[in-house]
Amino acid sequence: MGSVTNDRILVTGGAGFLGSHLCGRLIASGADVLCVDNFFTGSKRNVAPLLGAPNFELMRHDVTFPLYVEVDRIYNLACPASPVHYQYDPVQTTKTSVHGAINMLGLAKRVKARILQASTSEVYGDPEIHPQKEDYWGRVNPIGIRSCYDEGKRCAETLFFDYHRQNALDIKVVRIFNTYGPRMHPNDGRVVSNFIVQALRGEDITIFGDGQQTRSFCYVDDLIDGLVRMMESPAGVTGPINVGNPSEFTMLELAEQVLRLTGSSSKLVFHPLPADDPRQRQPDITLAQSVLDWRPRVALEDGLKETIAYFKDLFAGRVDA
Ligand code: NAD
Ligand code: UDP
Ligand code: UDP
């Protein structure tokens, strides 16, 4: 992974799925980490193992309000990421992306911090270009049920680039593709956690649509490595840059893998496809390979085994829910 300095690092959304893995990685590297979270989808339990570390601090705070702290680096991850959660209060979702970005950019401007935005493959919408490259502008419905998330993230990217042009801010924008792993929220409705939870409980596996739509799943350790490499890349490398695993699967293939690895006899059941659900998604990671010397290492089968083990422990009470 890229080298980490001993700087003071702010991680917004640090108690969430990706944020807690990032905080763990940064703490292990010796950095001084301030984790800020409003605990909407994240939890203290996700960062409980870090609470005793002298270089870790946890603050309950909503990024839609100003934040005055002194830091050198900011990872801006605060935002619910699963459709179930971001559609629960869509106005708050847009505010989190847009007001949150303004506040964190204002903070970065005042303290001259480097700032990284956790953007998303959703900026490409339901894409006509396959695989998706960074210069593709996307096909996003501005008024649909996914728009609060997609357009909020697109506006955040706009703000990052305008602060960069207007105020010479040192920015980094990463477009994260579907990522999975331990500490995914068991009820957040994302496909990997849904299928594993259903398989382990012997419940029906819910396939939306005909199951022929595709996604490309990145294991969390690979993703975090990509984020840190981007943060530590030379000034002037702004992105946007895709980080994800290009191995593409249909949802039916994913369901079959989960059933095989869990040994479950759950049945597949078919539900209507949600509105604006993208048909296919696969990152072109040529840029990340050349600029960051990054590529994913963990195959889906290996990552699924780790994730299944986590959910088994969770349900056995060996990890707090
Ligand atoms: P998550 O829901 O587990 O984490 C988001 C965190 O942000 C949670 O801890 C939540 O409590 C916190 N949060 C939400 N609103 C907040 C607010 N207003 N103020 C402070 N904290 C707030 O999701 P995740 O998968 O860890 O996603 C982290 C980031 O990565 C998000 O910005 C998401 O959009 C982005 N991302 C994730 C994926 C993925 O597949 N996991 C894909 C693309 C982009
Ligand atoms: N801000 C913040 N922390 C800081 C500095 C600024 O949260 O340390 C917020 C503040 O709420 C402000 C926003 O960031 O509204 C944008 O700041 P900027 O300096 O770009 O704009 P202005 O203060 O002129 O609105
Ligand atoms: N999906 C599914 N069954 C589920 C949950 C999701 O078939 O129980 C599908 C969903 O329709 C989408 C894909 O899996 O086509 C990925 O969904 P997810 O919410 O994980 O991520 P996103 O759509 O944001 O990429």
Side-chain angles (χ1 to χ4, degrees):
M1 70 172 213
S3 65
V4 173
T5 67
N6 288 328
D7 289 340
R8 299 159 300 175
I9 304 181
L10 166 63
V11 180
T12 76
F17 162 50
L18 297 182
S20 61
H21 284 275
L22 176 61
C23 287
R25 176 76 70 96
L26 296 172
I27 287 290
S29 74
D32 209 345
V33 175
L34 171 60
C35 168
V36 161
D37 206 294
N38 70 349
F39 303 124
F40 173 48
T41 51
S43 70
K44 277 189 204 166
R45 281 173 293 254
N46 281 340
V47 290
L50 307 177
L51 287 172
N55 51 337
F56 183 74
E57 197 178 347
L58 177 62
M59 181 194 288
R60 181 191 292 267
H61 176 80
D62 187 318
V63 295
T64 61
F65 295 97
L67 177 66
Y68 287 82
V69 291
E70 310 305 313
V71 290
D72 307 293
R73 298 226 183 310
I74 304 170
Y75 286 89
N76 189 36
L77 271 60
C79 186
S82 76
V84 170
H85 284 132
Y86 71 64
Q87 289 165 16
Y88 171 77
D89 184 350
V91 173
Q92 173 67 11
T93 299
T94 303
K95 280 188 190 169
T96 294
S97 276
V98 177
H99 292 183
I102 291 173
N103 287 329
M104 292 309 105
L105 287 161
L107 168 62
K109 183 177 124 190
R110 181 179 62 79
V111 300
K112 299 188 172 42
R114 176 175 282 192
I115 180 165
L116 180 147
Q117 168 68 359
S119 190
T120 169
S121 53
E122 296 285 333
V123 300
Y124 301 122
D126 193 2
E128 305 115 313
I129 305 290
H130 196 73
Q132 291 80 54
K133 280 175 86 89
E134 289 85 350
D135 58 6
Y136 175 53
W137 290 353
R139 186 164 77 109
V140 175
N141 176 358
I143 57 168
I145 57 171
R146 295 175 81 102
S147 312
C148 59
Y149 184 74
D150 301 8
E151 297 289 17
K153 289 285 189 178
R154 286 170 67 94
C155 185
E157 286 200 10
T158 307
L159 285 161
F160 268 67
F161 278 85
D162 280 331
Y163 269 82
H164 174 64
R165 284 185 286 258
Q166 214 171 312
N167 303 107
L169 241 66
D170 186 3
I171 62 157
K172 310 276 177 191
V173 175
V174 178
R175 292 183 179 152
I176 301 171
F177 283 65
N178 297 66
T179 302
Y180 70 100
R183 292 194 214 129
M184 291 186 89
H185 197 298
N187 301 323
D188 77 1
R190 281 189 266 194
V191 69
V192 174
S193 44
N194 260 17
F195 286 2
I196 292 176
V197 168
Q198 290 161 345
L200 291 178
R201 290 184 170 151
E203 295 167 359
D204 291 342
I205 305 279
T206 53
I207 308 277
F208 297 167
D210 59 8
Q212 294 298 338
Q213 71 273 34
T214 68
R215 294 292 186 274
S216 307
F217 299 103
C218 186
Y219 188 62
V220 61
D221 290 355
D222 283 333
L223 191 283
I224 299 302
D225 188 26
L227 288 188
V228 173
R229 279 176 191 254
M230 182 60 172
M231 180 60 106
E232 300 308 325
S233 64
V237 176
T238 59
I241 196 160
N242 292 338
V243 175
N245 190 324
S247 311
E248 186 181 0
F249 297 89
T250 67
M251 295 311 100
L252 280 176
E253 288 167 338
L254 175 69
E256 281 155 17
Q257 283 233 38
V258 169
L259 286 175
R260 183 170 56 79
L261 294 172
T262 52
S264 167
S265 52
S266 288
K267 304 273 171 299
L268 305 186
V269 294
F270 291 84
H271 289 278
L273 194 67
D276 298 333
D277 199 280
R279 285 299 303 164
Q280 53 180 12
R281 193 185 287 144
Q282 183 191 35
D284 181 320
I285 59 164
T286 313
L287 198 59
Q289 282 177 318
S290 60
V291 175
L292 307 179
D293 190 25
W294 175 89
R295 67 188 55 71
R297 311 263 169 206
V298 182
L300 183 63
E301 173 161 348
D302 297 325
L304 285 177
K305 283 181 185 161
E306 294 290 328
T307 314
I308 289 165
Y310 167 78
F311 279 111
K312 276 187 180 163
D313 282 349
L314 187 72
F315 297 147
R318 292 190 289 269
V319 180
D320 287 328

